Amino acid sequence: MAELQSLIQEMGAGLSRLDHAIAADPNSTSLVLAAKSFRNQYDQLQEQFLAEANRLEVDVCTYRMFAVMGSARLTLNEITKTLHDFQELFTTVFRALRSRTIKRRSQIKDPDFGFAYSFPGSLGVTLTLPRELQLFGSEQDFDDTIQTVFGMASARTADEILQYARNIGRAAVQQMDTWAADHTDHGLGADIGWKIQTPAPKRLFIQPPEIGSLRRAISLSAYSEPKNIEIVGELHGADTDRKSFHFKTETGQDIYGRFSDAITPEHRAQLPAPYMAKVRVTTQTLYATEREADDYFLLSLEPRDAYEVKKR
């Protein structure tokens, strides 16, 4: 396969040079005929490569990045980061699926893609993955992984993302968001083919607006179901114009949040004063940092002494 990869790479470089020459002299019949000949040879070499990959039980993945409007100028670091984050996404999902059947993490070998060759005239690469890396598992492990990756990338609602978070873990969702950000930050779409050496290849074609919708769904899925709690402490601040409050709990925790009608001219509050605060808490998972942040909404206030009398 190495010799075929080298020949394809050389032929691809020749095609790129011919494309540039034709752009400078579009009326040159000899250049057009030469490019057509090169293209035919290139296609034949690709077919030979795919046949050899199938014989050696090597899965082939193609990954092409494209800009919808204009040409995006990317640095080498940005290109390699995007490919690296795709590799991390594939590995994270693979390990999550394998951990269901293999409990010892040391037995799970990471599926590292190999580089085969780049595409002529476009920002894309061909990657390889030997099936022997599926040791101790099913022959469908890689297929299940890419199907899960493609499925999650196609999610457009928070409920769909939450389902993936429950099935394969938050780490996979976080890595999906990281990979998606690589594309949205530069206005790039992705065209990814899987097992293109077989009669039934799989494909993910996703444009920048769709990747933006995916990221919004991930962001919305980061919120937990709201829950109402009772907190005893002291009200330290309230701004009736901005509808914001500051409450200090008995344990010394400072809570800042919003309110609607918990404090009004009809429901006045003293500052500072001890209260039992009924608060609605919504937890947001910040996938970029793997941290959680709580959002507090004040529902009502009750003087602490009256609250303690009721509890007796």
Side-chain angles (χ1 to χ4, degrees):
M1 283 182 67
E3 184 178 352
L4 280 171
Q5 290 173 218
S6 179
L7 289 172
I8 291 172
Q9 198 67 52
E10 290 176 9
M11 190 65 65
L15 273 171
S16 295
R17 288 193 295 270
L18 281 169
D19 287 341
H20 283 99
I22 291 173
D25 186 8
N27 296 320
S28 173
T29 304
S30 59
L31 286 175
V32 172
L33 290 175
K36 183 177 180 181
S37 175
F38 264 63
R39 172 60 66 182
N40 289 336
Q41 294 179 61
Y42 182 84
D43 291 343
Q44 290 173 14
L45 286 171
Q46 274 197 312
E47 290 177 6
Q48 292 177 41
F49 175 82
L50 295 178
E52 184 68 4
N54 205 39
R55 186 184 71 81
L56 296 175
E57 297 191 336
V58 173
D59 288 330
V60 179
C61 176
T62 55
Y63 191 123
R64 184 174 67 90
M65 291 169 262
F66 61 90
V68 174
M69 296 183 64
S71 57
R73 183 189 180 280
L74 298 177
T75 66
L76 180 60
N77 282 338
E78 291 163 349
I79 296 170
T80 54
K81 182 180 184 303
T82 302
L83 293 173
H84 171 269
D85 288 337
F86 176 71
Q87 169 71 79
E88 288 297 306
L89 172 60
F90 188 92
T91 299
T92 303
V93 173
F94 175 78
R95 294 186 73 88
L97 295 175
R98 287 296 295 273
S99 64
R100 297 175 180 175
T101 54
I102 299 177
K103 300 306 178 184
R104 295 177 61 182
R105 294 182 63 86
S106 60
Q107 290 184 333
I108 304 177
K109 186 177 178 62
D110 286 344
D112 293 331
F113 285 106
F115 174 80
Y117 53 88
S118 59
F119 298 161
S122 64
L123 189 57
V125 294
T126 297
L127 308 171
T128 58
L129 194 58
R131 293 173 201 161
E132 63 186 24
L133 295 181
Q134 300 176 115
L135 290 172
F136 305 108
S138 163
E139 291 183 359
Q140 297 298 314
D141 283 344
F142 290 163
D143 290 346
D144 292 343
T145 299
I146 205 69
Q147 184 173 336
T148 302
V149 169
F150 285 3
M152 184 161 40
S154 302
R156 296 293 176 269
T157 68
D159 287 342
E160 290 176 297
I161 295 295
L162 281 171
Q163 192 60 47
Y164 281 103
R166 295 187 190 103
N167 291 341
I168 56 177
R170 281 171 27 188
V173 176
Q174 178 197 354
Q175 192 57 46
M176 173 62 77
D177 188 54
T178 300
W179 170 79
D182 294 335
H183 283 266
T184 56
D185 287 349
H186 306 293
L188 292 173
D191 185 2
I192 306 173
W194 173 253
K195 272 197 169 179
I196 63 167
Q197 81 284 12
T198 66
K202 296 179 176 64
R203 185 187 184 196
L204 171 70
F205 184 85
I206 184 167
Q207 300 191 58
E210 295 171 315
I211 301 177
S213 297
L214 167 64
R215 295 204 68 200
R216 284 190 290 275
I218 291 174
S219 175
L220 291 172
S221 75
Y223 288 91
S224 67
E225 289 294 324
K227 59 182 178 181
N228 295 345
I229 61 173
E230 294 181 347
I231 308 172
V232 175
E234 196 170 77
L235 184 67
H236 276 236
D239 188 326
T240 54
D241 292 327
R242 297 183 177 181
K243 298 291 186 180
S244 61
F245 74 93
H246 172 205
F247 195 87
K248 198 176 193 71
T249 69
E250 284 183 312
T251 59
Q253 178 185 358
D254 287 301
I255 292 177
Y256 298 88
R258 301 167 294 107
F259 64 87
S260 177
D261 54 7
I263 302 173
T264 64
E266 293 76 26
H267 300 91
R268 296 179 180 273
Q270 295 181 330
L271 297 171
Y275 284 98
M276 185 283 293
K278 186 172 291 184
V279 178
R280 176 173 297 151
V281 185
T282 305
T283 301
Q284 180 187 13
T285 302
L286 305 175
Y287 288 113
T289 60
E290 294 188 69
R291 295 180 180 176
E292 292 184 342
D294 291 328
D295 179 74
Y296 296 95
F297 186 83
L298 181 63
L299 297 172
S300 64
L301 288 168
E302 184 176 0
R304 181 170 177 174
D305 53 358
Y307 169 71
E308 290 180 343
V309 168
K310 287 170 58 177
K311 286 183 62 179
R312 293 173 186 166

